[in-house]
Amino acid sequence: MREHLEELLGERVASVHDLGTSHSWTLHRAVLRDGREVFVKALDGRSGAEGVFAAEAAGLRWLGEAGDDVPVPGVLAADERMLVLPWLPPDQPSAGAAERFGRALARLHADSPGAFGAPWDGYIADLPLDNTLDDQGWPRWYAQRRLEPFLKPAAPHLSQADIRLFEQVIDVIDELAGQPEPSARLHGDLWSGNVQWTGGSAMLIDPAAHGGHRETDLAMLALFGCPELGRILAAYDEEYPLADGWRERVPLHQLHPLLVHVALFGASYRTSAVEAARAALALR
């Protein structure tokens, strides 16, 4: 691994420290000969997710196109087996950092890419995402590219009644989605673990980036809880006011990540997914 890292960076590596595993890859902190520290993800030789790092690197660069203040790390190097990013020393979240993050996230979302999807093959964790580009509106795109593809792998952990419930959401999604909005540059997997508090601010890591509905990122932040979430949302809403009814639509936007979790981890997420589907249908 050290030889591969040195070849990729064109620099000598002093040490590599293992940080564990995540999905199909291993995590490392490496120290270069000049003292700089970098974060490394590396696939093992048996993984079939060779496109995952290319997708993450493309997503980080694409998010960064929204402006100099976008809170994403730069990509130092990437190939199909390895991704190298700057090391971000962890910090405690603060009120000021949360407010700055909320405003920065709002500005990121306000920079519309003009279509839903992305011009690269996507991944969430190590599962493929259909990022087919479409400028015809978010509801059908979300149903066809996010809900339908994950209902099938989740189905072994759902009852037939559960499946019909999700199918009903898909059938009437135009009634549930609220007023049309322009596409937003989304992180796409914005749970609290992908918000890295560092240096008095917050950085977005591990994206499943694409053009989508901005309420999706906010719903994902709320799904498993996030420090200072109230301050983040208040600052966001001041910078880029949210549409009426956005809080009631949170379950609709949480359906995709919950189906992903059912597909990845099984029936332990079934109840949450079914409850979100019922809450979404209550919007009619």
Side-chain angles (χ1 to χ4, degrees):
M1 177 195 151
R2 182 180 297 193
E3 291 178 357
H4 189 177
L5 179 57
E6 289 181 337
E7 181 180 355
L8 201 57
L9 289 175
E11 300 188 45
R12 298 295 300 276
V13 175
S15 61
V16 178
H17 307 272
D18 295 339
L19 302 176
T21 61
S22 178
H23 302 291
S24 299
W25 46 86
T26 56
L27 308 174
H28 313 269
R29 177 173 61 87
V31 181
L32 308 184
R33 283 293 176 89
D34 62 7
R36 288 181 298 136
E37 294 181 302
V38 297
F39 176 69
V40 183
K41 291 182 175 182
L43 287 175
D44 63 41
R46 298 164 293 176
S47 172
E50 283 76 10
V52 68
F53 294 155
E56 183 171 345
L60 287 169
R61 291 168 177 144
W62 180 78
L63 292 171
E65 291 174 4
D68 293 338
D69 65 343
V70 174
V72 293
V75 177
L76 300 179
D79 66 9
E80 67 177 16
R81 310 304 307 175
M82 189 173 286
L83 176 68
V84 188
L85 304 172
W87 177 258
L88 302 174
D91 197 359
Q92 292 297 313
S94 67
E99 291 173 3
R100 288 189 293 274
F101 173 55
R103 295 184 185 281
L105 183 62
R107 290 191 293 271
L108 171 64
H109 287 169
D111 188 74
S112 174
F116 300 96
W120 60 83
D121 295 331
Y123 281 85
I124 187 164
D126 49 7
L127 299 178
L129 282 174
D130 182 352
N131 275 346
T132 301
L133 285 164
D134 188 342
D135 61 0
Q136 298 304 306
W138 177 79
R140 285 291 110 196
W141 186 91
Y142 182 64
Q144 294 170 3
R145 311 300 178 191
R146 291 297 181 262
L147 298 184
E148 289 177 356
F150 285 90
L151 187 55
K152 184 175 181 179
H157 310 290
L158 302 171
S159 70
Q160 287 301 310
D162 296 338
I163 293 170
R164 287 194 296 272
L165 190 67
F166 283 101
E167 291 173 340
Q168 188 177 3
V169 172
I170 291 168
D171 289 342
V172 300
I173 194 164
D174 291 299
E175 302 175 35
L176 311 178
Q179 293 298 311
E181 289 211 3
S183 61
R185 289 181 193 258
L186 296 193
H187 177 282
D189 189 15
L190 196 55
W191 70 289
S192 60
N194 287 341
V195 179
Q196 177 70 41
W197 301 92
T198 181
S201 62
M203 298 287 280
L204 302 174
I205 60 172
D206 296 347
H210 65 280
H213 197 301
R214 62 187 178 127
E215 291 174 10
T216 297
D217 267 357
L218 303 184
M220 190 66 179
L221 271 179
L223 184 55
F224 301 116
C226 180
E228 302 285 355
L229 181 59
R231 290 183 185 275
I232 294 169
L233 295 176
Y236 182 107
D237 194 43
E238 286 182 5
E239 184 75 22
Y240 185 10
L242 288 153
D244 291 344
W246 73 270
R247 292 185 185 277
E248 288 72 28
R249 289 188 292 273
V250 164
L252 175 65
H253 291 270
Q254 290 177 341
L255 281 183
H256 171 241
L258 286 169
L259 281 174
V260 170
H261 278 71
V262 174
L264 283 172
F265 305 115
S268 59
Y269 286 93
R270 172 197 164 269
T271 298
S272 295
V274 169
E275 289 176 351
R278 288 180 177 143
L281 286 171
L283 293 169
R284 287 185 298 174

